Amino acid sequence: MTGVSPAQIAALRERETEIYTKARPKTRAALEQGTHFLDGVPMHWMKDWPQPFPMLVAKAQGANLTDIDGITLDDFCLGDTGSMFGHSPEPVARAIMEQATNGLTYMLPTVAALEVGDLLSRTFGDMRWQIATTATDANRFALRVARAVTGRAKVLVFNGCYHGTIDDAMVVRTDGKTVNRPGLVGQVNDLSQTAVSCEFNDLAMVEEALAQGDIAAILTEPVMTNSCMVLPDAGFHEGLRELATRFGALLIIDETHTISSGLGGYTRVHGLDPDIFVVGKCVAGGMPTAVWGLAPHVAHAFAETEKTRDAGHSGMGTTLSANPMQFACLRATLSEVMTPANYAHMERGAARLVDGLSRAITAAGLPWHAVRVGARVEFICAPEPLRNGAEAAEAHASELEAAVHAALLNRGVLIAPFHNMMLVSPVTTDAQIDRLVAAFTDVTKDLTQ
């Protein structure tokens, strides 16, 4: 289906593994000394890269990353969106240094916090905001609000979605039924009791689920990511808005990846109308931060439910969230980094990238295609645009993609490890984009010889 034989994939992977290993004696020696981390790494997904052993980073600046063997890469992964505006943007680095001498956390707001609230509404729309540390936390809190306001238990998510590690989204649609995702660690609950999985772009399926009357919220990305990119059909988001309103459910838009779409995210660029808005990762320039906002009518409804809630722990909030360092970085990012000029640069570069990848795919005669949403680009090992999570799962060619990733890295280019995502930052140059296209062209030729 991918146009590449297993033998070609295996041969490429073997060659690239040998090249990578020979080039990194310092990294290999350091790792061979052993660590006290579980499975050798501080976070398990650090071993999900296709290399035989992880890189050890010495420095990252702008759109480049250098490992301890002195090898510098053009970075199009950018922390899987966390550093979408480049590594250590100067305004954010300056804000960190200034705040560091004035305290890191004290569970009280600052003047900067007040300014951030205004900046958030100017950037993303009129909302009543709260600060979290990760988008996972923000989505978790948003769902608590939705359930409190509606008095309903379930959330509707889309098959193949990604909303961090909240349990509610860890379901898939199999044989027409919602079931737990395979592979979940220590999962003991039947998640179908609180979640319903539908297919993206299928409004009839969404309507049927909402008609049951037990769904508190629809939780969706504007574009499905982290699963092979799936674009919305024309009218899909308008349909979601109408159905949510008709059946009394709230619409939660999670822009943690699609903030790449333009200033204000996909929601502002395309005029979406969420009841709750969530964004994380790069919103504070790479400082662990997420924000979630309630539309005024939802904020009012939530305030009314708070009047009747029993005294006790709300189950929301974490001690280090809304710390002054987050506000310093949010203010710097929203006012100096997340600018129309920077987004225009990112759009131009991403258009250049997707055109170059598409030309390489055509020249190699491969049944693949490339897709773009704002500054976010992916190549997909399937001939046609995808419409839902089921099609995305079929298009995900893990062995082939791992071989391509490894080959790109040995040619000086880093892309995201979990899928085929590439980001263009405000500091990514045309020369870097052209090097990525040249490397991708070389790899596709290798695969088709």
Side-chain angles (χ1 to χ4, degrees):
M1 292 177 62
T2 64
V4 184
S5 73
Q8 290 170 306
I9 296 169
L12 178 64
R13 185 70 179 271
E14 184 177 354
R15 289 197 305 272
E16 301 304 330
T17 295
E18 183 178 355
I19 293 169
Y20 177 92
T21 302
K22 287 182 176 179
R24 288 172 172 81
K26 291 182 180 178
T27 302
R28 187 172 36 169
L31 291 170
E32 285 174 354
Q33 292 177 6
T35 78
H36 291 276
F37 291 112
L38 179 66
D39 203 22
V41 288
M43 178 61 76
H44 67 88
W45 42 247
M46 290 179 175
K47 296 191 76 170
D48 287 348
W49 297 80
Q51 288 74 46
F53 50 85
M55 286 186 295
L56 294 177
V57 177
K59 182 179 182 180
Q61 191 167 19
N64 290 107
L65 182 149
T66 303
D67 69 14
I68 66 170
D69 282 281
I71 299 171
T72 297
L73 305 171
D74 293 323
D75 188 1
F76 288 86
C77 173
L78 295 170
D80 192 20
T81 310
S83 293
M84 187 181 76
F85 299 111
H87 295 290
S88 301
E90 193 277 330
V92 177
R94 184 176 67 247
I96 290 172
M97 289 187 286
E98 290 173 357
Q99 182 60 47
T101 60
N102 292 318
L104 302 181
T105 187
Y106 26 75
M107 293 186 70
L108 288 167
T110 61
V111 171
L114 305 182
E115 296 173 10
V116 163
D118 179 62
L119 285 167
L120 286 169
S121 287
R122 279 199 259 163
T123 303
F124 298 113
D126 184 25
M127 295 276 173
R128 303 298 175 261
W129 298 98
Q130 289 282 274
I131 308 299
T133 303
T134 68
T136 293
D137 286 337
N139 281 319
R140 184 181 296 116
F141 304 152
L143 286 176
R144 280 194 175 272
V145 170
R147 286 166 171 147
V149 167
T150 64
R152 299 174 180 177
K154 290 189 176 182
V155 57
L156 187 155
V157 295
F158 291 104
N159 187 31
C161 69
Y162 183 73
H163 299 286
T165 54
I166 55 170
D167 280 359
D168 305 85
M170 291 295 169
V171 293
V172 293
R173 186 174 180 85
T174 302
D175 298 327
K177 296 180 179 180
T178 299
V179 298
N180 290 7
R181 276 191 176 189
L184 295 177
V185 175
Q187 185 63 50
V188 296
N189 297 324
D190 178 4
L191 300 178
S192 69
Q193 298 302 304
T194 54
V196 176
S197 178
C198 292
E199 290 291 0
F200 199 74
N201 282 321
D202 193 330
L203 289 173
M205 188 181 295
V206 172
E207 182 173 5
E208 182 180 358
L210 290 174
Q212 303 304 309
D214 56 356
I215 291 176
I218 301 169
L219 172 60
T220 185
E221 293 183 281
V223 174
M224 286 189 69
T225 65
N226 234 46
S227 62
C228 294
M229 194 185 294
V230 180
L231 303 180
D233 288 346
F236 176 66
H237 284 297
E238 292 80 1
L240 286 183
R241 176 66 276 174
E242 189 278 324
L243 288 171
T245 301
R246 191 198 322 165
F247 289 101
L250 299 183
L251 178 60
I252 305 174
I253 299 291
D254 179 358
E255 290 256 24
T256 298
H257 282 156
T258 53
I259 191 173
S260 64
S261 302
L263 184 61
Y266 196 100
T267 293
R268 178 171 171 181
V269 172
H270 295 274
L272 305 190
D273 183 25
D275 296 303
I276 304 178
F277 180 91
V278 173
V279 64
K281 292 204 175 183
C282 64
V283 71
M287 174 63 62
T289 306
V291 301
W292 56 285
L294 306 180
H297 70 280
V298 180
H300 174 76
F302 183 55
E304 292 300 307
T305 68
E306 285 289 273
K307 294 177 182 178
T308 61
R309 182 170 63 86
D310 291 339
H313 202 298
S314 67
M316 298 167 63
T318 55
T319 302
L320 296 179
S321 292
N323 67 65
M325 187 64 80
Q326 288 176 312
F327 287 119
C329 294
L330 277 165
R331 181 172 60 181
T333 302
L334 294 167
S335 62
E336 299 183 69
V337 178
M338 203 179 290
T339 64
N342 277 346
Y343 268 109
H345 175 95
M346 294 157 71
E347 286 267 354
R348 287 193 300 269
R352 184 186 187 97
L353 175 57
V354 77
D355 287 348
L357 297 180
S358 297
R359 288 195 304 271
I361 290 168
T362 300
L366 288 166
W368 304 358
H369 70 283
V371 63
R372 177 174 79 91
V373 174
R376 186 183 185 95
V377 176
E378 290 190 21
F379 69 87
I380 298 173
C381 301
E384 302 293 337
L386 310 173
R387 293 196 64 251
N388 56 47
E391 292 183 6
E394 290 183 4
H396 183 54
S398 57
E399 291 298 321
L400 172 58
E401 291 166 6
V404 172
H405 292 197
L408 289 175
L409 189 144
N410 285 336
R411 288 160 177 78
V413 177
L414 184 71
I415 70 173
F418 309 116
H419 42 101
N420 305 318
M421 188 274 295
M422 293 153 274
L423 283 165
V424 174
S425 78
V427 291
T428 302
T429 65
D430 285 351
Q432 289 179 299
I433 293 167
D434 293 345
R435 284 197 293 268
L436 169 51
V437 170
F440 184 80
T441 302
D442 188 45
V443 174
T444 55
K445 287 179 179 178
D446 272 1
L447 284 170
T448 54
Q449 284 178 347

